[in-house]
Amino acid sequence: MVRVQNLIMRYGNRVLFQDINLKLDRHKRYGLIGANGAGKTTFLNILSGQINEYEGDVVIPKANKVGVLGQNQFAFEEYTLIDAVLYGNKRLFDAIKEKEDLYATGDFEDDAVNNRLADLEVICVEEDPTYEYDVNIGKILANVGIPVENHNNLMSTLDSADKFKVLLAQVLYPKPDVLFLDEPTNNQDIETISWLENELQRHEGTLVVISHDRHFLNAVVTNILDVDYQKIREFTGTYDDWYIAANVLAKQMELDNAKKQKEKDELEAFVRRFSANASKAKQATSRQRKLDKLEIEDIKPSSRRDPSIVFKAKRQMGDEALHLVNVSHSYGDNAVLKDVSLKFEPGEKVALIGGNGVGKSTLVKIMMEEMKPNAGEINWGATIENSYFPQDTADTISGDGTLYDWLRAHDPKRDIAEIRNCLGRMLFNGEQQEKSVVSISGGEKHRMMLSKMMLEGGNFLVLDEPSNHLDLEAIVALGEGLLEFKGNVICVSHDRELLDAFASRIIEIHADGSITDFKGSYEEYAERKAKGEI
């Protein structure tokens, strides 16, 4: 359904990828993966027609309906939620709106008006044979967690997470033949991600999706498109299947090259030794021919790099970590936390989960004394030194200094080499450390915040959505770092692979303000919950 022929994409002198030839078939769901900056979003924008300056061809049959997940959450501020979703089928949207306008203002004595209404009715029947667009849209909005009573509200009344849910509903509603999704799980709660997984598993056309959520990729995709080495290689299977196959291929290439290099060294040594010896000249010539034909592949460096995330506490904690007593908080008439009492013992690794808007970030901010609760107490242990990863790193990391300057400002007495080493662990090389803070991306700001936390050496880590904007390699490294850390962790996240990696206690905040407190891994919690045992 989508054919890519001889595609080359350059930015100035930099080649993102070249000589790409792919055929993306119907009934296949492709996960597009690669390191940050490898060109995933650029390739998806080429496929969807949003970028046209490239060499080669991208062919999608005109009969195919194409859906592209919108990234501008503020594009439909004056639309009702139902209209914003209906806009996903632009032909139906235009016909319905024109029909409504003609019924409201048209002159029914005019044949032209009646003929136009008849034409519009044909379009509506072709696009919505059952005349149930409003019912179908209502179901989708309800499934992504937006209450029925809000469906006729304006988009401007929603927060960013809910606006993105509407954009998801918008692209899925028309049931496109070809579907392009860039990070559809970003900032979505676990319930919405699970719903989306089920929807995409039923998609009958062609799907290409970018995601840093490993669990999501394993649940949804049938094939992997790996952007690396300036190529895009296709693998059959899930993300985990790709991971095994890619590592086997890389190892095999190294072994083949090592074998060829050894053979080359032996041939060269023979030629050098006997080329001037008349009795061995014929053999030397034969070996030289063989040497000339021997090709050792040039193994290009991968764009993937694994950060080294290591948290080490400077101070050992005592017998008390953190105790919350009867914490309550409201925003106007909306009570998000009601008499929350929780005790955290030294060394516990806790995942804080729940739907968007239930109060997870509020609770974390109260813990970190960034907010004062309406009622209740926060009691930190006397030996606790906490370190905080806020959700809004874009606001926290600011200024016109370099990355090095920003990090050093938090601890001016720290050894220079230690600061640079900490940035290096998060893949900022010497030159990149001199970049201006203003110029870095959201993912780079997240890596900066993790550098700061490693430098601080706190014995109690509190993280609010740290995996947003991180690539898969960084998320895996973060999970390993939290697991190996000897102190306490409280982490808010919707990334199930991250939660599975480190958490031994799950606390879920529900929409009604109640809390489920479970001792065990996230996988155990999800299984018990699915069986109705929790």
Side-chain angles (χ1 to χ4, degrees):
M1 296 186 73
V2 181
R3 189 179 295 276
V4 181
Q5 298 171 323
N6 304 319
L7 178 66
I8 301 174
M9 182 65 194
R10 296 185 179 92
Y11 279 123
N13 293 327
R14 183 190 173 202
V15 177
L16 263 188
F17 30 78
Q18 60 184 357
D19 300 326
I20 308 302
N21 290 279
L22 293 168
K23 181 174 174 288
L24 308 181
D25 296 322
R26 185 176 175 82
H27 301 303
K28 289 185 180 178
R29 303 184 295 272
Y30 298 87
L32 184 59
I33 65 170
N36 285 343
K40 301 185 298 296
T41 295
T42 298
F43 182 63
L44 198 69
N45 287 340
I46 289 172
L47 293 181
S48 61
Q50 296 177 80
I51 290 178
N52 297 304
E53 295 180 1
Y54 56 85
E55 297 176 39
D57 295 296
V58 174
V59 180
I60 302 176
K62 289 184 178 180
N64 288 339
K65 189 183 294 182
V66 177
V68 182
L69 176 61
Q71 296 295 319
N72 183 1
Q73 298 171 17
F74 304 100
F76 300 92
E77 293 291 87
E78 300 307 312
Y79 288 65
T80 66
L81 272 59
I82 287 179
D83 279 352
V85 177
L86 179 60
Y87 194 88
N89 186 334
K90 188 67 165 54
R91 185 169 183 249
L92 179 60
F93 176 89
D94 289 343
I96 288 173
K97 294 306 170 185
E98 186 179 350
K99 192 169 68 169
E100 289 174 351
D101 184 59
L102 285 175
Y103 275 124
T105 63
D107 179 4
F108 297 107
E109 300 296 323
D110 187 344
D111 287 344
V113 170
N114 290 311
N115 289 337
R116 182 56 183 162
L117 282 170
D119 292 340
L120 293 172
E121 202 63 45
V122 170
I123 294 173
C124 290
V125 170
E126 288 175 350
E127 298 294 331
D128 182 35
T130 62
Y131 285 89
E132 291 185 326
Y133 78 87
D134 50 348
V135 174
N136 294 329
I137 289 173
K139 287 178 181 177
I140 295 177
L141 288 172
N143 284 333
V144 296
I146 298 178
V148 174
E149 58 269 23
N150 295 341
H151 292 182
N152 285 303
N153 293 349
L154 294 180
M155 285 283 283
S156 57
T157 64
L158 300 181
D159 61 25
S160 293
D162 281 345
K163 284 177 182 174
F164 196 70
K165 288 179 181 179
V166 176
L167 294 183
L168 267 178
Q170 181 189 78
V171 72
L172 293 175
Y173 162 66
K175 299 187 184 306
D177 302 298
V178 181
L179 188 53
F180 299 122
L181 304 178
D182 190 353
E183 293 289 3
T185 60
N186 260 6
N187 300 313
Q188 299 304 315
D189 55 45
I190 291 172
E191 296 298 326
T192 303
I193 295 171
S194 296
W195 169 82
L196 180 60
E197 286 172 358
N198 291 329
E199 287 294 304
L200 296 180
Q201 285 165 0
R202 294 197 295 267
H203 180 69
E204 295 182 353
T206 305
L207 166 67
V208 182
V209 59
I210 297 172
S211 178
H212 292 150
D213 186 326
R214 181 172 176 168
H215 191 288
F216 173 82
L217 290 173
N218 281 331
V220 169
V221 306
T222 60
N223 298 69
I224 292 290
L225 300 176
D226 178 22
V227 185
D228 202 3
Y229 306 104
Q230 299 177 337
K231 299 289 184 182
I232 300 177
R233 297 184 297 173
E234 182 180 345
F235 293 80
T236 299
T238 65
Y239 176 84
D240 284 350
D241 295 329
W242 162 82
Y243 187 82
I244 294 168
N247 279 284
V248 168
L249 281 176
K251 191 66 178 175
Q252 187 61 52
M253 186 178 288
E254 288 179 14
L255 291 172
D256 288 347
N257 267 15
K259 185 178 178 181
K260 287 178 182 177
Q261 186 63 54
K262 183 180 178 182
E263 185 180 359
K264 179 185 177 187
D265 292 342
E266 290 173 351
L267 290 170
E268 286 177 339
F270 187 93
V271 170
R272 279 197 308 270
R273 185 176 179 185
F274 296 112
S275 57
N277 187 324
S279 64
K280 298 281 188 177
K282 189 173 182 181
Q283 288 177 295
T285 303
S286 174
R287 305 263 174 119
Q288 182 62 57
R289 288 198 200 99
K290 189 174 182 181
L291 183 60
D292 292 340
K293 292 179 181 178
L294 189 63
E295 292 184 6
I296 298 177
E297 287 191 52
D298 178 23
I299 302 178
K300 295 180 180 178
S302 172
S303 58
R304 284 189 175 82
R305 293 181 296 160
D306 295 334
S308 175
I309 302 178
V310 180
F311 300 108
K312 291 183 179 179
K314 292 186 292 187
R315 181 179 184 181
Q316 187 172 351
M317 68 174 64
D319 295 332
E320 295 182 355
L322 175 63
H323 191 192
L324 279 61
V325 183
N326 298 327
V327 172
S328 297
H329 196 76
S330 301
Y331 294 100
D333 296 330
N334 181 27
V336 292
L337 300 173
K338 301 174 185 176
D339 293 323
V340 176
S341 292
L342 293 166
K343 188 170 185 178
F344 301 95
E345 301 294 341
E348 283 194 304
K349 308 285 179 68
V350 180
L352 187 58
I353 65 173
N356 287 332
V358 298
K360 302 184 300 298
S361 291
T362 298
L363 183 59
V364 164
K365 288 178 181 177
I366 289 171
M367 287 179 187
M368 298 305 299
E369 300 176 351
E370 299 254 314
M371 288 177 59
K372 190 172 179 61
N374 297 144
E377 297 179 8
I378 310 297
N379 299 314
W380 286 95
T383 59
I384 296 300
E385 294 180 354
N386 55 47
S387 187
Y388 179 41
F389 187 114
Q391 190 177 119
D392 54 346
T393 56
D395 299 329
T396 306
I397 300 177
S398 59
D400 54 5
T402 66
L403 308 193
Y404 168 79
D405 291 335
W406 183 87
L407 201 56
R408 194 180 187 198
H410 291 87
D411 192 351
K413 295 181 180 179
R414 186 61 65 97
D415 183 73
I416 293 173
E418 196 173 353
I419 293 173
R420 292 203 179 278
N421 181 54
C422 206
L423 284 167
R425 284 181 175 274
M426 293 310 300
L427 308 181
F428 295 109
N429 62 32
E431 184 180 339
Q432 290 170 331
Q433 292 177 17
E434 302 304 322
K435 288 169 61 175
S436 169
V437 169
V438 174
S439 68
I440 62 176
S441 67
E444 288 173 320
K445 287 187 175 182
H446 271 45
R447 289 192 277 131
M448 280 287 292
M449 188 59 67
L450 290 171
S451 296
K452 174 177 176 287
M453 292 182 76
M454 286 192 287
L455 202 63
E456 286 171 336
N459 55 20
F460 198 123
L461 309 182
V462 180
L463 305 98
D464 191 357
E465 295 287 4
S467 62
N468 284 350
H469 306 295
L470 295 181
D471 59 23
L472 281 157
E473 288 73 27
I475 293 171
V476 170
L478 176 59
E480 291 172 351
L482 295 178
L483 178 65
E484 295 299 322
F485 178 57
K486 302 304 180 186
N488 278 63
V489 175
I490 295 177
C491 180
V492 178
S493 181
H494 300 305
D495 190 302
R496 291 155 291 180
E497 291 290 334
L498 176 61
L499 300 181
D500 265 335
F502 78 89
S504 56
R505 180 180 175 187
I506 312 297
I507 296 174
E508 180 171 9
I509 304 177
H510 303 286
D512 62 1
S514 63
I515 284 180
T516 300
D517 191 349
F518 176 81
K519 297 289 182 69
S521 69
Y522 176 76
E523 186 177 359
E524 291 168 336
Y525 178 71
E527 287 176 0
R528 294 276 300 277
K529 190 175 180 181
K531 293 177 181 176
E533 297 174 359
I534 297 177

